[in-house]
Amino acid sequence: MPSVNYPEEFAGFAVVDTKEWSKQKYVTYKPKDFGDYDLDIEIECCGICGSDLLTAQGGEGWGEIKLPQVVGHEIIGKVIKKGPKVTLHEIGDRVGLGAQCYACLECKRCKEKNIQYCPHGVTTYDGTYADGYMPVH
């Protein structure tokens, strides 16, 4: 397995005020504790779509967001770290990530391969893990 200079902090440009959403601020934050089924992706590119913009703007119907907030979820990159129970991907694989970054893999929906409907799912941004971890905040 190739060695990677793994960061102790992540960084991004965050929305700090939805009224001035286009004036992001450079922020750093701690990564979550790495789990058995986790992958870490070195981001090569990330799309910004309408839902990212509506979230950043505090768009009507999208509700309040936790601030500061780094939006973006159409991610393409390569796997640089994987948990010991990951079997689908290897270090160096090119992967994509959408709007959901976690599913429990234990509930009925997950076991029926409908992980996008997992009641314990966490969204790629503005999500909160069961242990309380929230990126950026």
Side-chain angles (χ1 to χ4, degrees):
M1 175 181 349
S3 67
V4 172
N5 185 10
Y6 198 76
E8 291 184 28
E9 287 188 322
F10 294 153
F13 287 93
V15 174
V16 295
D17 181 347
T18 56
K19 292 181 184 10
E20 296 190 82
W21 66 272
S22 64
K23 297 179 181 175
Q24 293 91 20
K25 179 182 172 192
Y26 183 78
V27 298
T28 60
Y29 54 97
K30 298 284 184 196
K32 75 177 219 34
D33 291 337
F34 203 79
D36 287 346
Y37 292 99
D38 285 344
L39 285 179
D40 196 4
I41 303 169
E42 180 178 51
I43 299 172
E44 295 171 352
C45 57
C46 175
I48 300 293
C49 75
S51 56
D52 298 307
L53 292 175
L54 287 171
T55 297
Q57 296 168 351
E60 187 176 322
W62 290 80
E64 294 294 317
I65 64 169
K66 302 169 195 89
L67 295 172
Q69 185 68 238
V70 177
V71 298
H73 68 273
E74 295 170 340
I75 296 166
I76 298 294
K78 67 179 178 182
V79 176
I80 60 170
K81 184 177 179 181
K82 70 176 204 157
K85 295 185 179 177
V86 173
T87 59
L88 203 58
H89 297 290
E90 298 299 330
I91 304 294
D93 283 357
R94 187 175 175 100
V95 295
L97 177 66
Q100 183 179 353
C101 61
Y102 173 83
C104 75
L105 306 178
E106 298 294 329
C107 70
K108 181 179 187 234
R109 290 178 179 161
C110 284
K111 289 183 178 187
E112 292 174 348
K113 297 185 180 179
N114 285 307
I115 63 172
Q116 69 272 25
Y117 300 115
C118 176
H120 311 287
V122 177
T123 54
T124 304
Y125 58 85
D126 205 38
T128 303
Y129 288 82
D131 66 1
Y133 175 79
M134 297 180 294
V136 186
H137 314 103

